[in-house]
Amino acid sequence: MLFIAALLFYFLRHKETTLPPKPSQYDFTETNHVQEQIATESPPPGAQAGTQAPAPPLLPAPQLGDAVASLNPSDKKAWQTLTEIIQSKNDNDPRLDHELKNTSPELHRAFFETYSQLAPENRNGRGTIAFLVARDLKSQQDFDFIEKIFQEEPCLNLADCKVSAPDTNPHTSGMDQTTLNYPQLASLYQLSQQLGSRPELLQNPAYRENVLNILKTAENYPVPAVRNKAREIREHYKL
Amino acid sequence: MKTASLLLVAVLTLALQAQAALRYDSDVPKDIQTQMANDLTFINQVTGSGQTPFHKEIYGAVDGATYKNFFETRITSVGLDSCGGGMAVACVQPFFDAHKMWLTQNFIKFSHPQVARVMVVYHESRHSETRNGNWMHDTCPTPFLDENGKDVKSIWTGASLAGEPACDSTYKGSYGSSTIMLKNISKYCTNCGDKVKMDADIYATDQLGRIDRPDVKKAMLDDFATN
C-alpha cells in the first residue's frame, strides 16, 4: 500500500515534465478550424527551459532631473516610492493613497519630469502619474500637465507606440486599446470624479476655464473613445 | 497497521497539495511566473463589503478566497505560448487541455494595469468550462449599434465590431463575467486603492460594450446599480 501511494505521489509530482508536443495554434474565437501557426517570439517547446524573458525597457534608472534633484528629503522619498511602485507593477500598493496623495507642487513637478522620462510604451507608468496629478488638481501647472496629455501623439502599439499594431484582434482589442489610451482615460476619469464630488469647484472662474481647456483639447484627441468621454463630461456639466 | 494508514494518508495529502498549487511548465520564464503569482496574490487577498446579484450568482462574494477558488477549480497549470501571436496576453486551448492557461511574453512585456491582467486571466479561465461549451463568444450582430443607435467600434481604430466573433449574448460569458467581476471590485472592494478601483471601472466599462443584447446589457447595468 505504501509503495503504491509513493509511486502515485512520484508520478503526480513529475507529470508536468513530460508534456506532449503542442498542437497547431487554436484561436479560441474560431474553434471550427485550425489557424496556421504564426511566427512568434516564443521559444519552441522544450527549448530554453527556464529562460527569463528580457525585461522590457519601460523604466530607465531613475534620473535626477532638475525637479527631482531639488526635492526636499520627504518629497524625494515620496518620489522614490512612486518609482518603486511603477517598477513593481503592484497597482494596489497602499502608498499610492497614503504617501502619494495631496502632495506638494514641487513633488508634482517631479512627477511631470518622470512622466516625460518614462517610455511612451509604459502606459501604466504614465497613467499612474496622470492619475496622481488628476486626482490632485490644484495648481496651474497641474492643469497644464493634464492638458498636455491630450496633445500627445496617440500610442499605436503596446510594443512600440510609433508603429501601428500588427493586428487588431477584435477579441482583445478593447483591453489593448484601453491600455493604449490609459493615461488619457485615467485623467478624464479622475477629472470626472473630482467634478462629481465637488461640482462647486466650477464656480471658480479659473478652475472652470482650466477644466474647459482640458476637455476641449481632449475632444480634439484622435481617439474616438477619449473624445466622446470628454464631450460627455463637458455636456454633463454644461461647460 | 495504524501507523501505516496514517503514513498513507499523509503521503496522499501531500500529493493532493502538490496538485492544488498552480503548476508552471518549465519553459515559462521566471519573470512571467512571478508576475502571474503577484497578480493572483493581489486578487486572492481582495476583501469586499458586498456584491451584486449577478456577481453572487457567478462567483459568490467579492472576496479573495472566492476568486481563488473560482480560478483554481478551472486552471491547474500554466504554459508559455504565442496564443496565435500579435497582441495576445493569454489564452486557453480547451481542445488541448481545458485546464491549462497559456501566457505569452506580452504578459510582462505590455504595460497593462494589474487589474487588466487579472481581467484577462479570469476571462480566459471562464473559457475553460467545457461543461458550458467553453462560453464561446457570440458573433457581434450586423449592424452592431449602441443605445444611441451608433455603430459599436473598437475604441481606437474605430473599426466596427459588427460580424466579429468578439461579443457575448449572455452576462455569464467571458466578457460578461469579467465585466461583472471588475464592476464589483470597483464598487465593493474594501482593500483596493483608488487606482485599482478606477482601473476596474474603466476596463469593465469597455468590456460591457461587448454585450450585444440590449436586454442583457440593461440587466447588467441594473445589477451594477444595486445598493
Side-chain angles (χ1 to χ4, degrees):
Chain A
M1 284 278 281
L2 271 178
F3 178 68
I4 292 169
L7 269 181
L8 183 68
F9 179 69
Y10 175 83
F11 281 116
L12 285 171
R13 286 296 297 273
H14 288 82
K15 184 177 171 187
E16 66 273 19
T17 61
T18 54
L19 293 171
K22 297 173 194 174
S24 302
Q25 299 307 307
Y26 286 93
D27 180 349
F28 183 75
T29 60
E30 295 187 24
T31 53
N32 289 329
H33 61 270
V34 173
Q35 288 201 338
E36 289 180 11
Q37 189 158 0
I38 300 168
T40 68
E41 296 173 22
S42 302
Q48 300 176 2
T51 306
Q52 289 200 6
L58 299 180
L59 182 65
Q63 296 179 25
L64 296 183
D66 290 343
V68 173
S70 61
L71 290 174
N72 64 42
S74 169
D75 280 348
K76 181 77 174 289
K77 184 169 177 293
W79 174 80
Q80 285 168 337
T81 296
L82 172 66
T83 60
E84 282 168 24
I85 293 172
I86 290 174
Q87 189 73 34
S88 75
K89 300 185 186 178
N90 175 17
D91 290 345
N92 206 35
D93 192 312
R95 293 177 296 176
L96 282 171
D97 290 348
H98 298 146
E99 296 170 32
L100 294 171
K101 198 171 185 178
N102 296 321
T103 47
S104 70
E106 292 78 16
L107 186 54
H108 279 210
R109 278 198 288 276
F111 289 167
F112 308 154
E113 194 171 78
T114 303
Y115 183 99
S116 65
Q117 290 175 348
L118 291 174
E121 292 77 16
N122 192 342
R123 306 315 286 164
N124 190 44
R126 285 191 163 202
T128 300
I129 293 174
F131 151 75
L132 290 175
V133 176
R135 183 176 64 173
D136 199 17
L137 283 172
K138 283 188 288 226
S139 67
Q140 187 60 46
Q141 63 179 6
D142 293 339
F143 287 103
D144 292 345
F145 170 75
I146 295 297
E147 187 178 349
K148 280 202 182 96
I149 287 175
F150 296 99
Q151 295 169 336
E152 294 173 2
E153 286 296 320
C155 182
L156 304 180
N157 182 341
L158 292 170
D160 184 343
C161 280
K162 292 188 171 50
V163 176
S164 291
D167 72 53
T168 52
N169 184 342
H171 187 212
T172 59
S173 61
M175 170 179 162
D176 297 335
Q177 293 174 14
T178 300
T179 299
L180 285 171
N181 297 286
Y182 178 63
Q184 289 75 24
L185 292 170
S187 300
L188 287 176
Y189 191 98
Q190 288 305 313
L191 184 61
S192 179
Q193 291 283 94
Q194 189 172 82
L195 293 174
S197 61
R198 299 183 63 195
E200 69 276 9
L201 288 171
L202 287 171
Q203 291 172 13
N204 179 316
Y207 180 92
R208 187 184 183 90
E209 185 179 345
N210 277 318
V211 166
L212 185 56
N213 287 340
I214 288 173
L215 294 174
K216 281 183 175 174
T217 306
E219 284 183 64
N220 285 322
Y221 193 68
V223 178
V226 172
R227 287 201 302 265
N228 294 343
K229 185 65 185 172
R231 185 175 60 245
E232 179 189 304
I233 296 171
R234 187 173 58 76
E235 289 176 355
H236 181 81
Y237 291 98
K238 298 183 174 44
L239 296 173
Chain B
M1 189 62 187
K2 188 176 176 183
T3 306
S5 299
L6 282 172
L7 207 49
L8 171 63
V9 168
V11 166
L12 286 174
T13 302
L14 280 172
L16 285 169
Q17 281 183 342
Q19 280 283 57
L22 197 59
R23 297 193 312 274
Y24 292 87
D25 287 354
S26 57
D27 63 345
V28 178
K30 293 296 180 211
D31 283 0
I32 292 180
Q33 292 188 35
T34 301
Q35 188 63 67
M36 179 69 158
N38 288 346
D39 292 345
L40 291 177
T41 297
F42 151 64
I43 196 66
N44 292 346
Q45 291 178 348
V46 155
T47 56
S49 59
Q51 69 284 318
T52 66
F54 282 173
H55 189 281
K56 187 172 181 179
E57 179 185 341
I58 295 169
Y59 299 100
V62 172
D63 173 76
T66 299
Y67 292 139
K68 184 174 191 286
N69 179 65
F70 182 92
F71 187 79
E72 290 182 354
T73 51
R74 287 161 177 77
I75 303 296
T76 57
S77 63
V78 175
L80 180 73
D81 201 78
S82 66
C83 292
M87 309 274 277
V89 168
C91 65
V92 293
Q93 299 176 71
F95 308 103
F96 178 48
D97 183 341
H99 299 292
K100 192 179 197 87
M101 180 163 296
W102 304 90
L103 302 179
T104 77
Q105 300 279 5
N106 297 333
F107 191 74
I108 59 165
K109 181 179 165 188
F110 288 168
S111 181
H112 290 295
Q114 187 171 41
V115 90
R117 286 194 302 274
V118 168
M119 175 185 78
V120 79
V121 300
Y122 272 75
H123 173 117
E124 294 302 329
S125 73
R126 193 67 162 161
H127 282 314
S128 72
E129 295 178 20
T130 48
R131 68 182 184 280
N132 290 316
N134 304 108
W135 295 107
M136 290 176 67
H137 288 309
D138 197 29
T139 299
C140 302
T142 304
F144 184 24
L145 304 177
D146 64 18
E147 57 276 7
N148 299 316
K150 294 189 176 173
D151 279 325
V152 176
K153 298 179 179 181
S154 294
I155 77 167
W156 173 200
T157 64
S160 174
L161 291 170
E164 299 288 355
C167 281
D168 275 352
S169 57
T170 166
Y171 63 89
K172 301 179 191 178
S174 288
Y175 287 122
S177 61
S178 55
T179 300
I180 289 165
M181 177 184 180
L182 259 56
K183 276 291 188 183
N184 273 256
I185 286 173
S186 181
K187 191 169 169 165
Y188 292 112
C189 181
T190 51
N191 62 348
C192 295
D194 288 351
K195 182 184 188 294
V196 165
K197 289 194 277 192
M198 170 185 75
D199 292 348
D201 203 11
I202 287 174
Y203 283 85
T205 299
D206 171 74
Q207 297 287 285
L208 183 64
R210 299 305 178 101
I211 304 300
D212 58 16
R213 279 185 51 175
D215 57 333
V216 174
K217 186 183 279 190
K218 183 181 180 307
M220 290 175 70
L221 289 169
D222 290 344
D223 180 69
F224 301 153
T226 307
N227 283 331

